[in-house]
Amino acid sequence: MDNICVSVRVKPPSDEYQISKSPWDIDSHTIALSVHPRLPPNTFTFDNVFQALDTTKDIYSHVAKDIINSAMSGFNGTIFAYGQTASGKTFTMMGTAESPGIIPLAVKDIFDHINKTPDREFLLRVSILEIYNEEITDLLNPESTRLKIHEDPEKGIFVGQLKEVIVMSPNQVIELLNVGQANRHISPTGANKESSRSHSIFKMVIESRQKNFQEGERKTTQGGVKVSQLNLVDLAGSERVAHTGAEGQRLKEGSHINQSLSHLGHVIAKLSDGQTKHVPYRNSKLTRILQPALGGNSRTAIICTISPLMNFADETYSTLCFASRAKTIKNKPQINEIKDDKTMLKQYQDQIMLLQQQLASQESEERGRLLSEKLKIEQDK
Protein backbone atom coordinates (compact mmCIF):
# COMPACT_ATOMS: atom_id res chain seq x y z
CA MET A 1 0.00 0.00 0.00
CA ASP A 2 1.15 3.50 -0.81
CA ASN A 3 -0.60 6.66 0.39
CA ILE A 4 -1.22 9.40 -2.14
CA CYS A 5 1.33 12.16 -1.56
CA VAL A 6 -0.48 15.48 -1.08
CA SER A 7 1.29 18.84 -1.15
CA VAL A 8 0.03 22.42 -1.15
CA ARG A 9 1.50 25.35 -3.06
CA VAL A 10 0.56 28.80 -1.76
CA LYS A 11 0.35 31.46 -4.44
CA PRO A 12 2.37 34.51 -3.31
CA PRO A 13 0.24 37.64 -2.71
CA SER A 14 1.17 40.65 -4.77
CA ASP A 15 1.92 42.98 -1.86
CA GLU A 16 2.59 43.13 1.89
CA TYR A 17 -0.85 44.56 2.63
CA GLN A 18 -2.54 41.47 1.23
CA ILE A 19 -0.25 39.26 3.30
CA SER A 20 -1.21 41.11 6.48
CA LYS A 21 -4.90 40.49 5.73
CA SER A 22 -4.51 36.74 5.20
CA PRO A 23 -6.55 34.58 7.61
CA TRP A 24 -4.12 31.66 7.27
CA ASP A 25 -1.11 30.68 9.39
CA ILE A 26 1.29 28.65 7.25
CA ASP A 27 4.44 26.61 7.85
CA SER A 28 6.25 23.78 6.03
CA HIS A 29 3.61 21.11 6.79
CA THR A 30 0.50 22.80 8.20
CA ILE A 31 -2.02 25.45 7.23
CA ALA A 32 -4.28 26.80 9.97
CA LEU A 33 -7.37 28.99 9.80
CA SER A 34 -7.71 30.83 13.09
CA VAL A 35 -10.33 33.57 12.74
CA HIS A 36 -12.91 33.91 9.98
CA PRO A 37 -16.45 35.36 10.05
CA ARG A 38 -18.03 32.22 8.51
CA LEU A 39 -15.58 29.33 8.35
CA PRO A 40 -14.77 27.19 11.42
CA PRO A 41 -11.20 27.15 12.79
CA ASN A 42 -9.19 24.23 11.45
CA THR A 43 -5.62 23.03 11.04
CA PHE A 44 -4.66 21.01 7.96
CA THR A 45 -1.51 18.86 7.77
CA PHE A 46 0.14 17.74 4.52
CA ASP A 47 3.28 16.06 3.24
CA ASN A 48 4.61 19.43 2.08
CA VAL A 49 3.49 23.06 2.08
CA PHE A 50 5.36 25.26 -0.40
CA GLN A 51 5.43 29.05 -0.04
CA ALA A 52 6.74 32.08 -1.93
CA LEU A 53 10.44 31.23 -1.68
CA ASP A 54 9.93 27.65 -2.89
CA THR A 55 10.53 27.24 -6.63
CA THR A 56 8.93 24.73 -8.97
CA LYS A 57 12.27 22.89 -8.99
CA ASP A 58 11.97 22.55 -5.21
CA ILE A 59 8.47 21.14 -5.60
CA TYR A 60 9.67 18.75 -8.30
CA SER A 61 12.50 17.47 -6.10
CA HIS A 62 10.23 16.84 -3.10
CA VAL A 63 7.08 15.62 -4.88
CA ALA A 64 7.66 14.43 -8.44
CA LYS A 65 11.19 13.09 -8.77
CA ASP A 66 10.57 9.81 -6.93
CA ILE A 67 7.47 9.11 -9.02
CA ILE A 68 9.40 9.75 -12.25
CA ASN A 69 12.20 7.43 -11.12
CA SER A 70 9.62 4.77 -10.23
CA ALA A 71 8.04 5.11 -13.68
CA MET A 72 11.43 4.35 -15.23
CA SER A 73 11.46 1.13 -13.19
CA GLY A 74 8.02 -0.07 -14.29
CA PHE A 75 5.61 1.59 -11.82
CA ASN A 76 2.67 3.62 -13.09
CA GLY A 77 2.75 7.24 -11.94
CA THR A 78 0.33 10.16 -11.84
CA ILE A 79 0.87 13.76 -10.78
CA PHE A 80 -1.87 16.35 -10.99
CA ALA A 81 -2.47 19.93 -9.91
CA TYR A 82 -5.80 20.84 -8.32
CA GLY A 83 -7.20 24.16 -7.15
CA GLN A 84 -9.33 27.18 -7.90
CA THR A 85 -8.90 29.14 -11.11
CA ALA A 86 -5.86 31.43 -11.30
CA SER A 87 -4.12 29.76 -8.34
CA GLY A 88 -1.05 28.59 -10.29
CA LYS A 89 -1.83 25.07 -11.55
CA THR A 90 -0.64 25.54 -15.14
CA PHE A 91 2.38 27.51 -13.93
CA THR A 92 3.23 24.58 -11.65
CA MET A 93 2.74 21.86 -14.29
CA MET A 94 3.93 23.63 -17.46
CA GLY A 95 5.93 26.60 -16.16
CA THR A 96 7.73 29.09 -18.38
CA ALA A 97 11.00 29.20 -20.29
CA GLU A 98 12.63 30.83 -17.25
CA SER A 99 10.94 28.57 -14.69
CA PRO A 100 10.15 25.12 -16.16
CA GLY A 101 7.18 23.27 -14.70
CA ILE A 102 6.80 19.72 -13.44
CA ILE A 103 6.25 18.29 -16.94
CA PRO A 104 9.36 19.76 -18.64
CA LEU A 105 11.47 18.89 -15.59
CA ALA A 106 10.16 15.31 -15.71
CA VAL A 107 10.97 15.04 -19.42
CA LYS A 108 14.56 16.13 -18.76
CA ASP A 109 14.94 13.62 -15.93
CA ILE A 110 13.53 10.79 -18.04
CA PHE A 111 16.11 11.24 -20.80
CA ASP A 112 18.89 11.79 -18.25
CA HIS A 113 17.91 8.46 -16.70
CA ILE A 114 18.03 6.73 -20.10
CA ASN A 115 21.49 8.13 -20.81
CA LYS A 116 22.69 6.85 -17.44
CA THR A 117 21.22 3.36 -17.95
CA PRO A 118 23.15 1.78 -20.85
CA ASP A 119 22.18 -1.73 -19.80
CA ARG A 120 18.49 -1.18 -20.73
CA GLU A 121 16.84 -0.12 -23.96
CA PHE A 122 13.80 2.14 -23.83
CA LEU A 123 10.85 3.00 -26.04
CA LEU A 124 8.82 6.12 -25.15
CA ARG A 125 5.41 7.03 -26.56
CA VAL A 126 3.66 10.34 -25.92
CA SER A 127 0.03 11.41 -26.25
CA ILE A 128 -1.80 14.53 -25.05
CA LEU A 129 -5.54 14.96 -24.64
CA GLU A 130 -7.98 17.44 -23.21
CA ILE A 131 -11.40 17.05 -21.64
CA TYR A 132 -13.41 20.08 -22.77
CA ASN A 133 -17.10 20.35 -21.90
CA GLU A 134 -16.95 16.62 -21.03
CA GLU A 135 -15.69 15.64 -24.49
CA ILE A 136 -12.23 14.18 -25.16
CA THR A 137 -10.09 15.71 -27.90
CA ASP A 138 -6.64 14.63 -29.12
CA LEU A 139 -4.42 17.70 -28.73
CA LEU A 140 -1.84 16.26 -31.14
CA ASN A 141 -4.57 15.73 -33.72
CA PRO A 142 -7.34 18.22 -32.82
CA GLU A 143 -9.62 17.01 -35.61
CA SER A 144 -9.95 13.78 -33.61
CA THR A 145 -12.75 14.62 -31.18
CA ARG A 146 -15.36 12.87 -29.03
CA LEU A 147 -12.95 10.04 -28.30
CA LYS A 148 -14.16 7.10 -26.23
CA ILE A 149 -12.75 5.53 -23.08
CA HIS A 150 -12.15 1.78 -23.18
CA GLU A 151 -11.02 -0.87 -20.73
CA ASP A 152 -8.95 -3.93 -21.56
CA PRO A 153 -7.76 -6.68 -19.18
CA GLU A 154 -4.17 -6.16 -20.35
CA LYS A 155 -4.04 -2.48 -21.33
CA GLY A 156 -6.29 -1.27 -18.52
CA ILE A 157 -8.24 1.96 -19.02
CA PHE A 158 -7.31 3.90 -22.16
CA VAL A 159 -8.66 6.40 -24.68
CA GLY A 160 -9.17 4.88 -28.12
CA GLN A 161 -7.89 6.40 -31.39
CA LEU A 162 -5.51 8.68 -29.52
CA LYS A 163 -2.40 9.59 -31.50
CA GLU A 164 0.82 8.31 -29.93
CA VAL A 165 4.21 9.64 -31.00
CA ILE A 166 7.44 7.74 -30.41
CA VAL A 167 9.90 10.25 -28.98
CA MET A 168 13.69 10.16 -29.09
CA SER A 169 14.77 13.39 -27.37
CA PRO A 170 13.60 15.92 -24.78
CA ASN A 171 13.37 18.63 -27.46
CA GLN A 172 10.94 16.47 -29.44
CA VAL A 173 8.73 16.08 -26.36
CA ILE A 174 8.81 19.83 -25.65
CA GLU A 175 7.75 20.50 -29.25
CA LEU A 176 4.80 18.15 -28.77
CA LEU A 177 3.93 19.90 -25.50
CA ASN A 178 3.90 23.23 -27.32
CA VAL A 179 1.64 21.80 -30.02
CA GLY A 180 -0.73 20.44 -27.40
CA GLN A 181 -0.79 23.67 -25.43
CA ALA A 182 -1.49 25.67 -28.60
CA ASN A 183 -4.48 23.42 -29.37
CA ARG A 184 -5.87 23.51 -25.84
CA HIS A 185 -8.94 25.63 -25.03
CA ILE A 186 -7.64 28.74 -23.22
CA SER A 187 -9.62 31.98 -22.83
CA PRO A 188 -9.57 35.09 -20.65
CA THR A 189 -11.91 35.45 -17.67
CA GLY A 190 -12.31 38.06 -14.98
CA ALA A 191 -9.98 36.02 -12.76
CA ASN A 192 -7.31 35.02 -15.25
CA LYS A 193 -6.28 36.41 -18.64
CA GLU A 194 -5.16 32.92 -19.78
CA SER A 195 -7.64 30.61 -18.11
CA SER A 196 -7.53 26.89 -18.95
CA ARG A 197 -11.02 25.88 -20.07
CA SER A 198 -10.25 22.16 -20.12
CA HIS A 199 -8.41 19.43 -18.24
CA SER A 200 -5.19 18.44 -20.00
CA ILE A 201 -3.49 15.05 -19.63
CA PHE A 202 0.06 14.43 -20.86
CA LYS A 203 0.71 10.69 -21.03
CA MET A 204 3.97 8.87 -21.60
CA VAL A 205 4.15 5.10 -21.98
CA ILE A 206 7.62 3.87 -20.98
CA GLU A 207 8.78 0.44 -22.14
CA SER A 208 12.20 -0.92 -21.22
CA ARG A 209 14.10 -4.15 -21.48
CA GLN A 210 17.42 -5.44 -20.21
CA LYS A 211 20.32 -5.64 -22.67
CA ASN A 212 23.49 -7.68 -22.60
CA PHE A 213 26.71 -7.35 -24.55
CA GLN A 214 28.43 -10.26 -26.24
CA GLU A 215 31.52 -10.22 -28.44
CA GLY A 216 31.28 -6.49 -28.91
CA GLU A 217 27.74 -6.63 -30.27
CA ARG A 218 24.57 -5.65 -28.50
CA LYS A 219 22.13 -8.51 -28.07
CA THR A 220 18.74 -8.28 -26.42
CA THR A 221 17.99 -10.78 -23.70
CA GLN A 222 14.75 -12.72 -23.61
CA GLY A 223 13.61 -11.16 -20.30
CA GLY A 224 10.30 -9.41 -19.76
CA VAL A 225 9.49 -5.85 -20.82
CA LYS A 226 8.61 -3.32 -18.12
CA VAL A 227 5.72 -1.10 -19.22
CA SER A 228 4.65 1.92 -17.16
CA GLN A 229 2.21 4.73 -17.79
CA LEU A 230 3.05 8.22 -16.60
CA ASN A 231 0.16 10.73 -16.47
CA LEU A 232 0.91 14.39 -15.78
CA VAL A 233 -2.34 16.32 -15.43
CA ASP A 234 -3.14 20.03 -15.47
CA LEU A 235 -6.73 20.36 -14.27
CA ALA A 236 -8.90 23.35 -15.07
CA GLY A 237 -9.69 25.34 -11.93
CA SER A 238 -12.93 25.52 -10.01
CA GLU A 239 -14.78 28.78 -10.65
CA ARG A 240 -17.22 31.14 -8.96
CA VAL A 241 -19.08 33.53 -11.24
CA ALA A 242 -18.64 36.27 -8.66
CA HIS A 243 -14.87 36.13 -9.25
CA THR A 244 -14.69 35.28 -12.96
CA GLY A 245 -17.61 37.35 -14.28
CA ALA A 246 -18.22 34.52 -16.74
CA GLU A 247 -21.19 34.59 -19.11
CA GLY A 248 -22.20 32.88 -22.34
CA GLN A 249 -19.65 30.28 -23.50
CA ARG A 250 -17.32 30.97 -20.56
CA LEU A 251 -20.20 30.30 -18.17
CA LYS A 252 -21.00 27.00 -19.90
CA GLU A 253 -17.33 25.98 -19.75
CA GLY A 254 -17.16 26.88 -16.07
CA SER A 255 -20.24 24.80 -15.36
CA HIS A 256 -18.69 21.73 -17.00
CA ILE A 257 -15.40 22.32 -15.16
CA ASN A 258 -17.12 22.60 -11.78
CA GLN A 259 -19.25 19.54 -12.41
CA SER A 260 -16.22 17.48 -13.43
CA LEU A 261 -14.28 18.60 -10.34
CA SER A 262 -17.32 17.87 -8.18
CA HIS A 263 -17.30 14.27 -9.45
CA LEU A 264 -13.57 14.08 -8.66
CA GLY A 265 -14.25 15.34 -5.15
CA HIS A 266 -17.03 12.78 -4.76
CA VAL A 267 -14.69 9.94 -5.77
CA ILE A 268 -12.05 11.19 -3.32
CA ALA A 269 -14.66 11.37 -0.55
CA LYS A 270 -15.89 7.82 -1.24
CA LEU A 271 -12.36 6.44 -1.26
CA SER A 272 -11.34 8.28 1.89
CA ASP A 273 -14.13 6.90 4.06
CA GLY A 274 -12.70 3.40 3.57
CA GLN A 275 -16.12 1.71 3.75
CA THR A 276 -17.86 2.40 0.46
CA LYS A 277 -17.74 -0.55 -1.93
CA HIS A 278 -19.00 1.35 -4.98
CA VAL A 279 -16.87 4.27 -6.14
CA PRO A 280 -18.51 6.32 -8.95
CA TYR A 281 -15.52 6.55 -11.30
CA ARG A 282 -17.81 6.37 -14.35
CA ASN A 283 -19.68 9.57 -13.49
CA SER A 284 -17.17 11.68 -15.43
CA LYS A 285 -14.51 11.16 -18.07
CA LEU A 286 -11.87 12.68 -15.80
CA THR A 287 -12.45 10.26 -12.92
CA ARG A 288 -12.71 7.33 -15.32
CA ILE A 289 -9.30 8.11 -16.85
CA LEU A 290 -7.78 8.77 -13.41
CA GLN A 291 -9.27 5.62 -11.87
CA PRO A 292 -5.93 3.72 -11.65
CA ALA A 293 -4.36 6.74 -9.92
CA LEU A 294 -7.07 6.92 -7.26
CA GLY A 295 -6.91 3.76 -5.18
CA GLY A 296 -5.41 1.61 -7.94
CA ASN A 297 -2.11 0.50 -9.49
CA SER A 298 -0.20 3.78 -9.45
CA ARG A 299 2.04 6.00 -7.39
CA THR A 300 0.20 9.30 -7.18
CA ALA A 301 0.96 12.84 -6.07
CA ILE A 302 -1.46 15.75 -5.88
CA ILE A 303 -0.31 19.36 -5.77
CA CYS A 304 -3.09 21.61 -4.51
CA THR A 305 -2.68 25.29 -5.34
CA ILE A 306 -4.32 27.91 -3.13
CA SER A 307 -4.54 31.64 -2.59
CA PRO A 308 -3.97 32.92 0.98
CA LEU A 309 -6.14 36.01 0.45
CA MET A 310 -9.21 36.68 2.60
CA ASN A 311 -11.59 37.06 -0.36
CA PHE A 312 -10.68 33.54 -1.57
CA ALA A 313 -10.94 31.90 1.86
CA ASP A 314 -13.99 29.79 0.93
CA GLU A 315 -12.27 28.32 -2.16
CA THR A 316 -9.04 27.74 -0.24
CA TYR A 317 -10.89 26.02 2.60
CA SER A 318 -12.67 23.76 0.11
CA THR A 319 -9.37 22.86 -1.61
CA LEU A 320 -7.72 22.03 1.72
CA CYS A 321 -10.64 19.77 2.69
CA PHE A 322 -10.27 17.98 -0.67
CA ALA A 323 -6.52 17.63 -0.09
CA SER A 324 -7.00 16.26 3.45
CA ARG A 325 -9.37 13.56 2.21
CA ALA A 326 -7.04 12.64 -0.67
CA LYS A 327 -4.16 12.18 1.76
CA THR A 328 -5.92 9.20 3.38
CA ILE A 329 -6.28 7.21 0.13
CA LYS A 330 -4.04 4.18 -0.30
CA ASN A 331 -2.95 2.97 -3.74
CA LYS A 332 -1.60 -0.44 -4.72
CA PRO A 333 1.36 0.24 -7.04
CA GLN A 334 3.26 -2.66 -8.54
CA ILE A 335 5.90 -3.18 -11.22
CA ASN A 336 4.27 -3.85 -14.57
CA GLU A 337 6.24 -6.46 -16.50
CA ILE A 338 5.05 -8.27 -19.62
CA LYS A 339 6.61 -11.56 -20.67
CA ASP A 340 4.98 -12.03 -24.08
CA ASP A 341 5.36 -10.30 -27.47
CA LYS A 342 2.58 -7.73 -27.10
CA THR A 343 4.73 -4.73 -26.15
CA MET A 344 5.62 -2.28 -28.88
CA LEU A 345 9.30 -2.50 -27.91
CA LYS A 346 9.33 -6.25 -28.54
CA GLN A 347 7.44 -5.83 -31.83
CA TYR A 348 9.96 -3.24 -33.03
CA GLN A 349 12.85 -5.44 -31.98
CA ASP A 350 11.39 -8.35 -33.96
CA GLN A 351 10.90 -6.09 -36.99
CA ILE A 352 14.47 -4.82 -36.76
CA MET A 353 15.80 -8.37 -36.46
CA LEU A 354 13.76 -9.44 -39.50
CA LEU A 355 15.04 -6.47 -41.52
CA GLN A 356 18.61 -7.22 -40.46
CA GLN A 357 18.18 -10.83 -41.61
CA GLN A 358 16.70 -9.70 -44.94
CA LEU A 359 19.54 -7.21 -45.39
CA ALA A 360 22.15 -9.88 -44.59
CA SER A 361 20.47 -12.25 -47.07
CA GLN A 362 20.45 -9.57 -49.78
CA GLU A 363 24.10 -8.73 -49.11
CA SER A 364 24.99 -12.43 -49.33
CA GLU A 365 23.14 -12.77 -52.63
CA GLU A 366 24.84 -9.65 -53.98
CA ARG A 367 28.28 -10.94 -53.00
CA GLY A 368 27.49 -14.26 -54.69
CA ARG A 369 26.34 -12.48 -57.85
CA LEU A 370 29.48 -10.31 -57.99
CA LEU A 371 31.70 -13.35 -57.41
CA SER A 372 29.90 -15.25 -60.18
CA GLU A 373 30.34 -12.35 -62.58
CA LYS A 374 34.03 -12.08 -61.71
CA LEU A 375 34.60 -15.78 -62.33
CA LYS A 376 32.77 -15.56 -65.67
CA ILE A 377 34.96 -12.61 -66.77
CA GLU A 378 38.10 -14.54 -65.85
CA GLN A 379 36.88 -17.62 -67.77
CA ASP A 380 36.13 -15.51 -70.85
CA LYS A 381 39.69 -14.26 -70.82
Side-chain angles (χ1 to χ4, degrees):
M1 293 289 193
D2 189 358
N3 277 82
I4 291 179
C5 173
V6 180
S7 303
V8 174
R9 185 177 203 177
V10 183
K11 184 177 182 179
S14 58
D15 56 51
E16 292 295 327
Y17 175 77
Q18 290 179 323
I19 296 175
S20 67
K21 296 296 181 181
S22 174
W24 303 97
D25 296 320
I26 303 170
D27 64 26
S28 59
H29 290 283
T30 62
I31 302 176
L33 179 66
S34 51
V35 179
H36 191 273
R38 296 184 313 280
L39 299 172
N42 204 341
T43 298
F44 302 89
T45 302
F46 302 104
D47 295 292
N48 306 280
V49 176
F50 300 102
Q51 300 187 62
L53 296 179
D54 295 306
T55 66
T56 304
K57 284 187 177 181
D58 295 328
I59 297 173
Y60 179 83
S61 296
H62 284 86
V63 175
K65 194 176 185 69
D66 283 348
I67 290 181
I68 302 305
N69 289 338
S70 293
M72 302 306 292
S73 300
F75 289 93
N76 295 331
T78 299
I79 303 169
F80 67 87
Y82 174 96
Q84 72 185 76
T85 186
S87 59
K89 296 179 301 302
T90 300
F91 177 77
T92 297
M93 295 305 294
M94 293 296 297
T96 64
E98 296 76 24
S99 177
I102 298 294
I103 299 177
L105 291 172
V107 170
K108 179 181 181 300
D109 257 9
I110 286 168
F111 282 95
D112 285 347
H113 180 97
I114 292 172
N115 291 333
K116 294 175 183 176
T117 316
D119 60 332
R120 295 190 73 83
E121 54 186 340
F122 290 84
L123 180 70
L124 310 179
R125 313 194 312 266
V126 163
S127 61
I128 310 175
L129 64 81
E130 74 168 357
I131 304 173
Y132 173 71
N133 289 352
E134 203 56 18
E135 292 185 355
I136 301 174
T137 296
D138 187 341
L139 290 180
L140 298 181
N141 181 24
E143 294 180 357
S144 184
T145 61
R146 299 185 178 181
L147 301 180
K148 305 298 182 184
I149 300 172
H150 305 277
E151 185 169 6
D152 179 86
E154 294 179 350
K155 294 177 65 176
I157 297 169
F158 66 97
V159 176
Q161 298 180 314
L162 192 63
K163 180 178 180 180
E164 286 189 321
V165 180
I166 295 174
V167 293
M168 306 295 290
S169 71
N171 287 340
Q172 185 184 1
V173 180
I174 298 303
E175 288 176 4
L176 293 174
L177 279 169
N178 292 336
V179 169
Q181 194 68 5
N183 289 328
R184 188 181 181 186
H185 283 83
I186 298 174
S187 300
T189 68
N192 189 353
K193 64 180 181 180
E194 292 187 359
S195 175
S196 301
R197 314 309 296 159
S198 66
H199 308 307
S200 173
I201 301 178
F202 169 91
K203 179 179 178 179
M204 179 179 285
V205 178
I206 304 167
E207 298 185 12
S208 72
R209 188 171 185 171
Q210 190 72 29
K211 295 187 299 192
N212 66 8
F213 295 84
Q214 185 175 345
E215 296 179 358
E217 295 183 0
R218 189 187 75 188
K219 292 190 177 182
T220 303
T221 67
Q222 297 303 310
V225 178
K226 291 181 179 178
V227 183
S228 61
Q229 299 185 22
L230 178 65
N231 291 293
L232 305 177
V233 186
D234 179 20
L235 298 178
S238 58
E239 297 187 355
R240 294 180 66 184
V241 176
H243 290 150
T244 64
E247 56 185 23
Q249 184 63 22
R250 299 293 86 77
L251 184 62
K252 178 184 177 182
E253 293 166 349
S255 175
H256 279 287
I257 291 168
N258 288 343
Q259 185 178 42
S260 176
L261 294 174
S262 176
H263 288 309
L264 175 60
H266 193 204
V267 166
I268 294 291
K270 290 288 186 180
L271 288 168
S272 65
D273 70 18
Q275 298 178 352
T276 304
K277 292 184 178 179
H278 172 70
V279 180
Y281 292 109
R282 294 177 180 270
N283 283 359
S284 79
K285 291 182 171 63
L286 175 65
T287 52
R288 185 72 174 124
I289 293 172
L290 291 181
Q291 181 174 342
L294 303 172
N297 176 20
S298 175
R299 295 194 65 198
T300 301
I302 302 174
I303 303 168
C304 291
T305 55
I306 64 169
S307 168
L309 303 185
M310 174 65 82
N311 56 328
F312 293 114
D314 291 278
E315 290 89 340
T316 294
Y317 196 91
S318 176
T319 298
L320 295 176
C321 288
F322 170 93
S324 292
R325 288 190 288 268
K327 192 172 180 293
T328 66
I329 297 172
K330 293 184 181 297
N331 285 357
K332 301 174 282 293
Q334 60 186 25
I335 293 177
N336 305 285
E337 191 166 17
I338 299 175
K339 301 293 185 180
D340 57 28
D341 297 342
K342 294 182 179 180
T343 63
M344 190 168 287
L345 179 59
K346 182 64 170 64
Q347 292 171 16
Y348 281 144
Q349 288 172 345
D350 290 344
Q351 291 175 10
I352 290 171
M353 187 175 297
L354 178 61
L355 290 172
Q356 288 174 336
Q357 291 171 349
Q358 291 174 346
L359 181 60
S361 176
Q362 290 173 358
E363 290 176 345
S364 177
E365 291 176 0
E366 181 66 14
R367 284 195 298 269
R369 185 183 65 80
L370 292 174
L371 180 59
S372 177
E373 289 180 355
K374 183 178 180 181
L375 290 173
K376 186 175 184 302
I377 292 172
E378 290 178 353
Q379 289 172 357
D380 291 342
K381 290 180 179 179

